[in-house]
Amino acid sequence: MKMIVVFSALVAVCLAAPQNQADRDAVVLRYENDNIGIDGYNFAYETSNGISQQEDGKLQNAGTDNESLSVRGSYSFTGADGVVYTVTYVADENGFQPVGDHLPKASK
């Protein structure tokens, strides 16, 4: 039984490892971060393997019963098929709302 647990853990570690050299050797090319307190925050980064993200967050209706955080952003990455995938999103009192050409569309 102990051997099965050890083998399963080893397989999980191998599968979680980056699958190509570009991911293993990736470095951060750009990183910006601005925490402006109660007025919100924003950050952005880009890595050498083509991953990037940017996000802005703002507190809405501060000090009221309807206070909420509103976040807008996007991220991009290159898939195993060589295609660059981009997701833009809004996260607010209505939940996380991602949009991307590769994502399924909700039917009405």
Side-chain angles (χ1 to χ4, degrees), residues 6-17:
V6 171
F7 180 73
S8 297
L10 182 60
V11 168
V13 168
C14 290
L15 291 175

Side-chain angles (χ1 to χ4, degrees), residues 40-105:
Y41 70 90
N42 60 65
F43 70 84
Y45 67 84
E46 182 179 350
T47 62
S48 61
N49 61 343
I51 297 171
S52 64
Q53 181 178 4
Q54 68 83 28
E55 183 174 291
D56 297 305
K58 293 185 179 26
L59 186 61
Q60 304 294 324
N61 305 311
T64 71
D65 288 342
N66 297 329
E67 184 175 277
S68 65
L69 185 62
S70 177
V71 176
R72 294 184 181 280
S74 66
Y75 61 89
S76 297
F77 62 94
T78 304
D81 55 4
V83 174
V84 175
Y85 294 94
T86 300
V87 175
T88 58
Y89 58 89
V90 173
D92 57 18
E93 68 274 2
N94 297 314
F96 181 68
Q97 304 150 57
V99 176
D101 291 339
H102 63 288
L103 297 177
K105 309 288 187 270

Side-chain angles (χ1 to χ4, degrees), residues 22-30 45-51:
D23 289 340
R24 282 193 290 267
D25 297 337
V27 296
V28 175
L29 301 175
R30 179 176 65 93
Y45 67 84
E46 182 179 350
T47 62
S48 61
N49 61 343
I51 297 171

Side-chain angles (χ1 to χ4, degrees), residues 33-42 57-58:
N33 183 26
D34 188 16
N35 182 348
I36 49 181
I38 193 76
D39 292 327
Y41 70 90
N42 60 65
K58 293 185 179 26

